[in-house]
Amino acid sequence: MTKSLAIATTVFAVGKYIRFLGNFLETAEQHYMVGFKVRYYIFTDQPEQVPAVTLAPGRMLSITKVPKFSRWQEISSRRMEIIQTAIEEHIHKEADYIYCLDVDMKFHNRWGPEVLDTLVAAIHPWFYTMDRKQFTYERRPASKAYVPMDQGDFYYMAAAFGGRVEDVYKLTKTCRENLEEDKNNNLEAAWQEESHLNRYLVYTKPTKLLSPEYMWDDVIKRPSEMRLIRFSAIVKDKAEVRENA
């Protein structure tokens, strides 16, 4: 694995979620792709609030202003469109791999080149011990995110996915188109872009699957079989930070 590879990393810090960005970046600089060329692409409605974080040599930060939509569900749904557009406009020339990560997270241990692959997804920590009948896929056939009860291997979390730039581009483009078709039909999938991500990955299998140690949730007590946590969603009052319903 050559360290000359460039890794794009998208992070959305919209509304009150800007408060999590400093901790995300500081812990990423300690544990995320250490020694590799990384460009963080920060999408925010408050560019002036992006904290100054010291970055290691070869690592950069780009800031793009995006609207603050009236509903958090709309912010969620628009992520695929914004990432697709960014790949088309410049990321395809600037990176070999791209990882799309949530901002209300922190790194605890190494998250390194072992995660690099063509198309990478993370098992949702709330569902990794469950039967697929319990997965919260979109179950309405009218939605483009629909997954039948007898389909699917895992339930994936939209807080961490990635892979080769061209493969993530295909994913985001498909999800964007399906989100827009649903919207035109007055439909909103159960979990917005996460529902569409799961639909895509049911039929376009990830080439690498990350265990819950790579994508945990601090609300859940760590099970005994999990020796360490590498990256996790921090405990927060979702109703307070989302601001609107």
Side-chain angles (χ1 to χ4, degrees):
M1 186 68 69
T2 171
K3 291 194 175 184
S4 65
L5 291 173
I7 301 164
T9 304
T10 66
V11 187
F12 285 75
V14 178
K16 292 183 179 180
Y17 279 83
I18 191 75
R19 69 179 64 163
F20 303 115
L21 183 58
N23 195 33
F24 174 95
L25 291 171
E26 288 168 4
T27 60
E29 282 301 289
Q30 296 173 44
H31 302 293
Y32 176 70
M33 299 296 179
V34 174
F36 284 78
K37 293 192 294 185
V38 171
R39 185 192 290 260
Y40 301 101
Y41 295 86
I42 309 301
F43 299 97
T44 181
D45 59 324
Q46 304 159 77
E48 69 285 353
Q49 297 299 319
V50 173
V53 174
T54 300
L55 304 179
R59 296 161 78 97
M60 303 174 63
L61 190 148
S62 298
I63 302 170
T64 300
K65 187 169 184 178
V66 295
K68 179 184 176 185
F69 300 101
S70 59
R71 300 167 61 243
W72 70 264
Q73 293 94 335
E74 183 76 6
I75 296 168
S76 172
S77 295
R78 292 290 294 275
R79 283 203 314 166
M80 292 296 187
E81 172 191 346
I82 292 168
I83 295 169
Q84 179 202 345
T85 301
I87 292 173
E88 287 176 348
E89 292 182 349
H90 50 87
I91 292 177
H92 76 280
K93 297 180 289 187
E94 299 166 350
D96 303 289
Y97 291 90
I98 180 171
Y99 286 81
C100 308
L101 307 177
D102 274 7
V103 70
D104 52 334
M105 316 282 296
K106 68 181 292 186
F107 291 90
H108 307 274
N109 287 284
R110 168 192 166 103
W111 221 85
E114 71 277 3
V115 311
L116 298 177
D117 216 307
T118 303
L119 185 61
V120 181
I123 297 175
H124 198 300
W126 286 90
F127 294 97
Y128 83 104
T129 59
M130 292 186 183
D131 182 270
R132 70 179 174 194
K133 291 180 181 178
Q134 297 173 283
F135 295 168
T136 55
Y137 292 143
E138 172 57 58
R139 298 301 190 184
R140 294 171 295 174
S143 172
K144 295 293 288 184
Y146 169 62
V147 177
M149 292 296 292
D150 63 346
Q151 298 291 307
D153 303 306
F154 302 99
Y155 188 83
Y156 306 101
M157 194 168 189
F161 64 93
R164 298 285 303 189
V165 169
E166 57 267 33
D167 292 276
V168 175
Y169 176 76
K170 293 174 186 174
L171 182 156
T172 56
K173 182 175 185 291
T174 300
C175 289
R176 173 195 182 171
E177 290 169 351
N178 289 340
L179 279 154
E180 289 178 349
E181 185 167 339
D182 269 8
K183 187 173 183 178
N184 290 337
N185 292 323
N186 295 314
L187 285 168
E188 184 174 84
W191 294 103
Q192 297 83 46
E193 97 280 18
E194 186 169 87
S195 297
H196 288 274
L197 173 75
N198 271 275
R199 162 74 190 202
Y200 185 89
L201 294 172
V202 166
Y203 299 106
T204 307
K205 303 292 187 188
T207 58
K208 180 162 287 187
L209 188 62
L210 302 183
S211 77
E213 73 181 47
Y214 284 87
M215 179 60 259
W216 193 245
D217 189 331
D218 288 347
V219 172
I220 312 169
K221 182 180 178 181
R222 190 174 83 187
S224 58
E225 70 269 17
M226 190 176 298
R227 298 181 63 183
L228 58 79
I229 294 170
R230 300 176 185 273
F231 186 47
S232 67
I234 63 176
V235 177
K236 57 196 164 295
D237 181 346
K238 291 183 178 179
E240 189 269 333
V241 295
R242 285 176 173 171
E243 301 183 73
N244 45 55

